[in-house]
Amino acid sequence: MRLWSVSLTAAWLVVAASLAHAALPEHLPKLLNQELTRKVDLTQPSARETFSISVVNDDGQTAADAYYFLFDAPAAAEIAFAEAWVKPEKKADKRKLLAIALDTQHSDDAQTVYRVTLEPSLAPGETLALEAKFVYTHRRLVVSPKAVEQDKAQNLLWEDSAYVVGPYASTEQKTLVKYYMESFSAQPAPVKRNSLGTTITYGPYKVPANAERVPIHVHYEQNLPPVTALEHRRELEVSHWGSNLAVEEHYKIRHDGAAIDGEFNRVKFQGMARKREQTPVLYQIPMKIPGSAHSIYYRDPIGNVSTSTLATKGKTIQLSLRPRFPMYGGWQYRFYFGYDRPLGDVLQRQPGTNTYVLRVPFLEKIGSWTYDETVMRILLPEGASNVRVNVPFALDEVRHGKVRTYLDVSGRTAIWLTKRNAVDEHAQEVEITYDYTGFDLLRKPLGVFGALLAIFVFSIVYSRLDLSIARK
Amino acid sequence: MLSLGTDDQTRLLRVAALTGVALVAFASRLFSVIRYESVIHEFDPWFNYRTTRYLVEHDLDSFWNWFDERSWYPLGRIVGGTLYPGLMITASALWNSLHALGFPVDIRNVCVFMAPIFSGLCAVATYLVTKEVKDSRAGLLAALFIGVAPGYISRSVAGSYDYEGIAIFQMMLTFYLWLKAVKTGSAFFGGVAAIAYFYMVSTWGGYVFLINLIPLHVFALILMGRFSNRVYVAYSTFYAIGTLYSMQIPFVGFQPSRTSEHMAAMGIFGLVQIIAFVQLVRSHMASKQFQTLLLGSVGVGFVLAFAALVFLTMRGYVAPWTGRFYSLWDTGYAKKHIPIIASVSEHQPTAWPSIFFDLQVLTFLFPAGVYFCFRKLNDEHVFIMLYAATASYFAGVMIRLVLTLTPIVCVAAGIAVSNILDTYLKHSPPADSAAEKVASDAKSAVAGSSSDKAADKQPAKDKPTGVRNSESKLVVVAVFAYMMALFVWHCTWVTSNSYSSPSIVLASYTPDGRQHIIDDFREAYFWLQENTAEDAKIMSWWDYGYQIAGMSNRTVIVDNNTWNNTHIATVGLAMASPEPRAYEVMRKLDVDYVLVIAGAVLGYSGDDINKFLWMVRIAQGVYPEIQETDFYAANGQYRVDDTASKTMRDCLMYKLTYYRLNEMYPDGNAWDRVRQTHVPAKNIKLSTMDEVYTSENWIVRIYKLKQPDNLGRPLTDAAAFEENRRRKRKHVKKY
């Protein structure tokens, strides 16, 4: 238990400064983290933190109705997704989600506060197994050095505190960092390292409430390219006549990893053909789309991109899109792709009514990208009314409107759902309910019929009119 | 057809046949869309596409006033005043009406399908012209010919979004209306012809052919003593309205009154007025006095007019013939005086096989058709003959002018074939009713190649002898049917193999028959668009200017609108100079990136090293420091291997093309697959620029200019210094 005492000494250096938690509400019920495990997953270009906390209400008087997570403000600005739940008894059980939200009222320039609402509140003496997950955009990880030679690997830097600080004391606390490949050691030295060398552990520590941070960093090799989708538009079009859901996705992406130090060298790139995974180059975009998809296309603003392959694997189609050019740090690319899929897969009619329910994912996961802004546009058929949208996470903007396209008279019902700073965890199902009657279905044929009828009537009348001035 | 009269039946058949022909004309141009994709082809269409996109995104006013700072940097280009806007306005009108009707079609698709659509219309216009000259049977045949003739398809496949694609339709329409005006003597048709002419002027510089051919027709009619009030009315309305309209196009402006190309039309207009006046006077005077007056006034008038023309030309009020025009009379002119025109392959004189390639059997039917016109000499036949004679001459001088020859060849061939079929297909029993005859004629015209069947169906009653018996008829018809079938087969083959490649996308086939697309151009152009600063200036040879502006949306130094020879020569100078001098020139041009096309790895023969001698020649014309002879090897050949001259191996183009190529191959085996020679194995060192991108098959290579050295050293010295230091450091490390 030598390490244990070392950590204690480190912890006692810390003064329980009142400044650090001045932001939090006063008279917080006193909670105690009996056991806190933080797992930091760095295997992907964006970091994920999972907390597993066994909380006990140590207050003796008031019941706690909230649990607060404290983050350093600069790092917390990159949190894109947060989720909290009560740990289920058995692994297979469904999670009971708890409401978690950014507490803007108590956050300030130095610290960011996330508030988990405990429902029901935690009575004095009671224990709760709380779990939470925070997903960062890839900007949480710093590319260091910024530029490497074309055939060299990319290294990322993760910086944080050796233990979790907050308004609550912890009796036992561990931080596990999992990363992809080892080539650099971490400072200060981790307490433990697993046999494969892919996970290092800090702790266990005993941490008092409002402790100060002990900075650590992990510098490690990571060749998965950190990609930002600067703009992303996902456009869905529901067609009842064609029994078809048309999907088209527009991307503007930027490789935010290590840039090339020096010249781009085609010879080197060709020579690396078999070991491209050892450099951060993005030379193909792996895309998974539903297995029932057909009529797939892949284009960019100047035409069809011929370099893509397709493989069907069970229920999904693995679509490998190769950008026109291999991408290195700082390079940008724009493209769009699309496909059709049978409407039956995603649309249900509520029996006996004219109400339909459409269930589609908000995103398709691609290599843990970060989406600066993603807009999903759903075109419902002309005449669809009473539209309700149900999304499991908070959106930045929901807009309803109309879009006039092929053979429309008044325009189709459209919904725009906007989310900034999205990550893979937002690839959840969106549910859209709308009413659509049999008459609406006949609008289009009637419209075409009317237009043709008008033309024929006009030509009949015109050919029988004598418009000459003088009689012949 | 159940209860229709025979007249209606023929009309229905005719409409159906003509629609079919128009559809065939449209469909046979779609090879490239089916085989590749809906994409804009070649070079010039990229400019047209870019301007059309601009027009669609902005309005017509800003299009007229558009100053394009993205081309001819730092000069720029006033686009609205230096192009024929007809094509763009037509496309955007089509796009706008489609959008108004609720079809949100992409503007690119409108542009891609413009040429096929107008080819369909051109078939109809050709039908109308031929119908005026002979009859609707000949018209249908001519329409079919123009629909599939490779001479026209070569410039109007889907994706070839260029002026010619729609101008030929406009030309045929104007000719039809002109013939109609001459035949009827109607001011109405003269006016409509003028409007069609205006549409043509707004589209293509080739309108000059039209505005010389029509006066020539009038002049010939006068000489032949066929002058009449019809001609007078037709030409006066046509010229007056047409000229006033054509001057509304900013690019044309006052040319109709100030350049020699338009003087013939003006002179004839004056002549027609004089003659009409003289005729008026004659009708009021005794004939003897009249003779004297006529001779005197016409003679004096002609001399005065000619003197005035010479005087005005010398004083500079009327511009003399342009160089491009001279090269039409003297095929060697361009090579001597304007290398930039001679360097374009489509300006070369036409080789005989290429005429046959483009027209096949029509080549032989063409004189026959003209002969038939001689036999029935009317005003409109004179026009056909003049058109045939002039277009044949021009087609022989310049390969791209085969395009203007094709329509008349189709018209003449249509007349010839229909005459033959009239003679040999017609069953001519005296008892046959007229109505039946018309029906069978229409059928034969529709059936075209398979019409021999229709011929056998009709039993001969009393056997005629000689060429008129049914056996000989059958033989002739069968031979012609076979020739027509062969012609259609040839056209399809030529279209599919020669004229349907977009040229920005190359295709090869793997041994198992799969298509492999080589897409280096778009790869590199798109790289430029995505990964260079918005205001980066790209230097390349002028061939790629339009494509870079269109696909990369970046500023170019020179482009395919070769209006400034000096500027192009400056780019040639940079390419042909050794690195320090080239750097100096490029800094003056404010260049950020240099783009070269290198086919050495793939064997792409249209690359910059093969065009390099033209760059040298054009540069030499302005900058005498460049001498073509310096670039040849000691034995006088143009080489790129070890025997290449020092000037050649030091020049920028050579270095940029072969930079790092030897790293691809084992020692000393670097190979150029275009020139089929070894390339020097020595490392090429670049001190003034960095390679920033090379496309997958090495076709496009992009280099970035280095910033000037901080210490003010020449970049070559700075690079040598760095090299030394690195070597020293290595040296130190070792011990």
Side-chain angles (χ1 to χ4, degrees), chain B residues 123 166 452 457 733:
Chain B
I166 76 170
D452 48 336
K457 269 187 197 166
K733 244 185 199 172

Side-chain angles (χ1 to χ4, degrees), chain A residues 201-418:
Chain A
T201 310
Y202 291 90
Y205 302 120
K206 183 179 166 64
V207 182
N210 300 315
E212 210 160 78
R213 293 165 208 280
V214 175
I216 54 167
H217 73 259
V218 178
H219 193 195
Y220 62 105
E221 182 177 327
Q222 164 66 287
N223 285 314
L224 293 174
V227 175
T228 315
L230 303 168
E231 288 161 23
H232 172 233
R233 286 200 331 269
R234 183 168 152 82
E235 299 181 341
L236 306 174
E237 197 175 327
V238 175
S239 161
H240 282 240
W241 268 106
S243 184
N244 185 40
L245 177 78
V247 181
E248 186 167 292
E249 299 209 37
H250 294 251
Y251 285 90
K252 177 178 180 179
I253 59 172
R254 186 180 62 210
H255 187 303
D256 274 341
I260 306 180
D261 185 14
E263 297 183 315
F264 170 80
N265 186 336
R266 180 55 78 170
V267 184
K268 246 182 204 174
F269 180 76
Q270 284 168 342
M272 296 281 295
R274 282 165 204 288
K275 33 184 186 174
R276 277 180 199 151
E277 284 76 16
Q278 298 172 18
T279 63
V281 60
L282 177 71
Y283 65 98
Q284 69 172 9
I285 301 165
M287 199 80 72
K288 267 193 198 129
I289 57 173
S292 56
H294 59 95
S295 313
I296 302 162
Y297 55 88
Y298 168 35
R299 294 183 196 139
D300 67 15
I302 57 171
N304 190 47
V305 190
S306 51
T307 47
S308 55
T309 55
L310 200 110
T312 312
K313 280 183 188 163
K315 280 187 181 168
T316 55
I317 291 175
Q318 188 87 39
L319 184 62
S320 302
L321 309 178
R322 259 175 67 195
R324 279 202 192 272
F325 42 83
M327 291 175 70
Y328 288 90
W331 290 14
Q332 291 190 12
Y333 183 58
R334 271 179 297 160
F335 66 96
Y336 64 98
F337 77 99
Y339 54 85
D340 290 344
R341 63 185 291 203
L343 198 55
D345 291 4
V346 288
L347 190 74
Q348 273 181 342
R349 181 180 188 158
Q350 290 185 347
T353 59
N354 281 326
T355 307
Y356 292 84
V357 184
L358 178 75
R359 286 190 192 87
V360 282
F362 186 69
L363 285 176
E364 309 273 7
K365 292 182 193 176
I366 322 163
S368 207
W369 287 6
T370 295
Y371 300 81
D372 276 0
E373 181 174 281
T374 167
V375 181
M376 183 183 191
R377 188 192 77 174
I378 301 134
L379 274 192
L380 298 175
E382 195 174 14
S385 57
N386 194 15
V387 181
R388 284 141 289 161
V389 182
N390 183 11
V391 185
F393 47 85
L395 291 169
D396 287 303
E397 195 189 329
V398 178
R399 193 156 64 87
H400 293 257
K402 291 216 157 165
V403 168
R404 193 166 169 249
T405 163
Y406 292 97
L407 292 178
D408 283 349
V409 180
S410 61
R412 298 179 197 192
T413 314
I415 311 146
W416 286 267
L417 311 175
T418 309

Side-chain angles (χ1 to χ4, degrees), chain B residues 161-381:
Chain B
Y161 177 56
D162 212 344
Y163 302 141
E164 292 94 329
I166 76 170
I168 297 300
F169 156 70
Q170 296 161 345
M171 189 172 81
M172 292 315 278
L173 185 68
T174 315
F175 285 156
Y176 161 67
L177 293 166
W178 166 247
L179 291 182
K180 198 86 181 159
V182 169
K183 278 173 87 169
T184 56
S186 132
F188 170 73
F189 277 111
V192 179
I195 291 170
Y197 168 68
F198 165 63
Y199 188 28
M200 160 110 195
V201 175
S202 75
T203 303
W204 194 35
Y207 78 89
V208 173
F209 173 63
L210 203 146
I211 199 60
N212 282 298
L213 183 63
I214 287 176
L216 185 65
H217 181 211
V218 175
F219 192 57
L221 290 180
I222 294 170
L223 292 184
M224 290 164 81
R226 288 171 165 272
F227 184 77
S228 62
N229 283 341
R230 286 183 287 111
V231 176
Y232 175 71
V233 170
Y235 188 67
S236 299
T237 32
F238 171 78
Y239 180 76
I241 299 176
T243 305
L244 284 178
Y245 271 169
S246 70
M247 287 164 82
Q248 307 311 309
I249 308 293
F251 193 27
V252 176
F254 277 91
Q255 280 182 36
S257 65
R258 299 199 55 169
T259 58
S260 300
E261 285 95 332
H262 299 80
M263 280 305 122
M266 198 192 229
I268 297 296
F269 180 65
L271 189 65
V272 166
Q273 305 308 322
I274 293 171
I275 293 177
F277 178 71
V278 166
Q279 281 191 346
L280 180 77
V281 172
R282 179 163 64 178
S283 62
H284 292 85
M285 256 186 174
S287 63
K288 201 173 178 194
Q289 288 166 308
F290 176 75
Q291 288 278 328
T292 339
L293 190 69
L294 179 74
L295 279 177
S297 60
V298 169
V300 168
F302 186 76
V303 168
L304 276 182
F306 192 74
L309 182 63
V310 171
F311 174 74
L312 287 175
T313 309
M314 281 168 67
R315 289 300 299 270
Y317 290 111
V318 174
W321 307 104
T322 56
R324 254 169 225 259
F325 212 81
Y326 277 126
S327 59
L328 283 182
W329 310 115
D330 174 9
T331 49
Y333 181 87
K335 203 160 193 175
K336 268 175 272 164
H337 298 98
I338 10 178
I340 202 150
I341 289 183
S343 72
V344 180
S345 60
E346 62 181 22
H347 290 164
Q348 308 298 330
T350 318
W352 158 243
S354 82
I355 288 194
F356 182 75
F357 190 67
D358 277 353
L359 300 170
Q360 218 236 5
V361 68
L362 303 186
T363 325
F364 309 110
L365 294 172
F366 171 48
V370 177
Y371 164 74
F372 282 120
C373 287
F374 262 110
R375 290 230 321 222
K376 252 199 241 167
L377 205 57
N378 281 332
D379 292 354
E380 61 269 22
H381 297 118

Side-chain angles (χ1 to χ4, degrees), chain B residues 4-11 435-436 438-439:
Chain B
L4 292 174
T6 41
D7 259 9
D8 285 337
Q9 281 188 16
T10 358
R11 193 182 303 154
E436 216 174 288
V438 175

Side-chain angles (χ1 to χ4, degrees), chain B residues 39-51 77 155 159-163 344-346 501-506 521 525 540-551 559-561 595 597 604 606-608 611:
Chain B
V39 69
I40 306 291
H41 292 191
E42 304 265 345
F43 303 102
D44 289 16
W46 274 100
F47 171 76
N48 302 332
Y49 171 55
R50 180 164 160 256
T51 44
R77 174 178 177 187
R155 306 232 145 223
S160 172
Y161 177 56
D162 212 344
Y163 302 141
V344 180
S345 60
E346 62 181 22
S501 151
S503 96
I504 58 160
V505 186
L506 312 170
F521 289 101
Y525 291 149
S540 71
W541 191 235
W542 62 263
D543 296 22
Y544 314 106
Y546 279 167
Q547 288 187 346
I548 294 174
M551 281 186 260
D559 68 26
N560 310 46
N561 177 33
L595 181 147
I597 306 294
Y604 174 70
D607 71 347
D608 275 348
K611 290 175 184 169

Side-chain angles (χ1 to χ4, degrees), chain A residues 104-118:
Chain A
T104 43
Q105 196 191 337
H106 298 114
S107 300
D108 57 24
D109 291 347
Q111 296 211 306
T112 302
V113 180
Y114 272 83
R115 181 182 197 271
V116 180
T117 312
L118 301 180

Side-chain angles (χ1 to χ4, degrees), chain B residues 429-447:
Chain B
D432 261 10
S433 72
E436 216 174 288
K437 207 159 82 187
V438 175
S440 86
D441 286 350
K443 220 182 268 170
S444 65
V446 176

